[in-house]
Amino acid sequence: MSTDSSNQAPLVAHLIELRNRLLKCVLAILILFIGLYSFANDLYLIVSEPLRLLLPAGSSLIATEVASPFLAPLKLTFAVAVLISVPYTLFQAWSFIAPALYKNEKQIAIPLLISSIFLFYAGVVFAYYVVLPLIFGFFTTVGPGEVTVMTDINNYLNFVLKLFFAFGVTFEIPVATYLLIKAGVTTVATLSKKRPYIFLGCFVVGMLITPPDIFSQTLLAIPMWLLFELGLIAGRTVKVVVDGSQTEEDSEASHTTS
């Protein structure tokens, strides 16, 4: 009985710590949300600027639902609060798992954590400054001249948030590729041989997670492939043991010599 109790005590302590850290993350999001709420309309104007600047004369964003003028900025404010809190959330996750890591694992994890945050924000910035102007510039000019472009503010917000999330996540590909190679799940040589399939897979993923148009799918698929290549470059720094004695690079060198 005492042994069972002693085994359960660490588990309970870990669950309590996890709960406390989750509550801290939720509290941080709520604090940011409350602080940003008074700027909700300004935030929406900033997010909608890529489309508003390209709308033809006489066109504008509209609200087709009674509550949309209130709910759309509210939803955006919450999304921005979550986005800003990402570093703090990852810090809490890091603080929870760090005690279980070895020293060499911590040395790798910290740069990966920092690069993950940077790449996620880079994906969002890329979507806002590059992808959205290109998409809206295309869509607002290809329609019939007699059709007036008047986009619903809620539909626009859903479209933009989906793109932000898609690009933010896919910009993590170099980190994911590096971790797969580091963990020994795959190798640089194996991934290089499967490059054509991965290139095709990028377009399939782009089709699934972006709005249903070939333009945004391509704008996501091409960066995904380039980021995969970046992950391969980073993966070449990993020393993978082959047959218990050689690294992958040594094995390839000996094979070439023979």
Side-chain angles (χ1 to χ4, degrees):
M1 182 66 68
S2 60
T3 303
D4 293 338
S5 300
S6 61
N7 291 334
Q8 292 177 359
L11 177 61
V12 173
H14 288 315
L15 291 176
I16 293 175
E17 182 184 1
L18 178 61
R19 181 201 63 185
N20 292 337
R21 295 194 180 279
L22 289 175
L23 289 175
K24 289 180 180 179
C25 294
V26 173
L27 182 62
I29 294 174
L30 289 177
I31 292 174
L32 287 170
F33 174 77
I34 294 172
L36 293 170
Y37 178 72
S38 59
F39 304 100
N41 291 333
D42 295 327
L43 289 174
Y44 194 91
L45 289 177
I46 293 173
V47 170
S48 63
E49 186 175 6
L51 177 59
R52 290 188 295 104
L53 292 177
L54 296 171
L55 285 174
S59 300
S60 65
L61 291 172
I62 62 173
T64 58
E65 299 177 2
V66 176
S68 291
F70 170 74
L71 293 180
L74 189 71
K75 180 179 179 180
L76 175 61
T77 303
F78 180 77
V80 172
V82 173
L83 187 66
I84 296 176
S85 68
V86 167
Y88 181 77
T89 301
L90 291 178
F91 170 76
Q92 291 297 328
W94 163 255
S95 300
F96 180 73
I97 65 174
L101 299 178
Y102 294 107
K103 183 178 180 180
N104 61 330
E105 293 174 334
K106 292 180 180 179
Q107 293 174 347
I108 298 174
I110 293 177
L112 288 178
L113 180 65
I114 297 174
S115 60
S116 297
I117 296 173
F118 171 78
L119 287 172
F120 182 83
Y121 286 135
V124 175
V125 171
F126 179 81
Y128 180 79
Y129 284 104
V130 178
V131 178
L132 291 182
L134 289 175
I135 291 177
F136 297 143
F138 175 75
F139 286 153
T140 54
T141 57
V142 297
E146 295 76 13
V147 176
T148 303
V149 180
M150 303 184 75
T151 305
D152 176 67
I153 61 174
N154 195 47
N155 291 335
Y156 171 83
L157 180 61
N158 292 335
F159 178 88
V160 169
L161 291 180
K162 188 174 183 179
L163 278 182
F164 284 170
F165 178 78
F167 277 87
V169 172
T170 54
F171 265 57
E172 302 291 338
I173 288 177
V175 175
T177 304
Y178 178 84
L179 288 176
L180 289 174
I181 297 172
K182 183 68 177 178
V185 176
T186 186
T187 63
V188 174
T190 301
L191 291 176
S192 298
K193 292 178 182 177
K194 296 180 179 179
R195 183 179 280 111
Y197 303 101
I198 294 174
F199 183 76
L200 177 62
C202 290
F203 280 89
V204 173
V205 173
M207 176 185 66
L208 294 175
I209 66 177
T210 59
D213 64 273
I214 189 63
F215 204 64
S216 58
Q217 293 166 12
T218 303
L219 288 175
L220 178 61
I222 297 301
M224 284 178 63
W225 175 63
L226 295 176
L227 289 167
F228 164 74
E229 296 294 338
L230 180 61
L232 283 185
I233 295 174
R236 296 183 188 279
T237 63
V238 178
K239 300 295 183 180
V240 182
V241 177
V242 179
D243 296 330
S245 59
Q246 291 180 303
T247 64
E248 181 184 3
E249 291 82 354
D250 294 338
S251 178
E252 290 178 352
S254 62
H255 177 71
T256 303
T257 304
S258 62

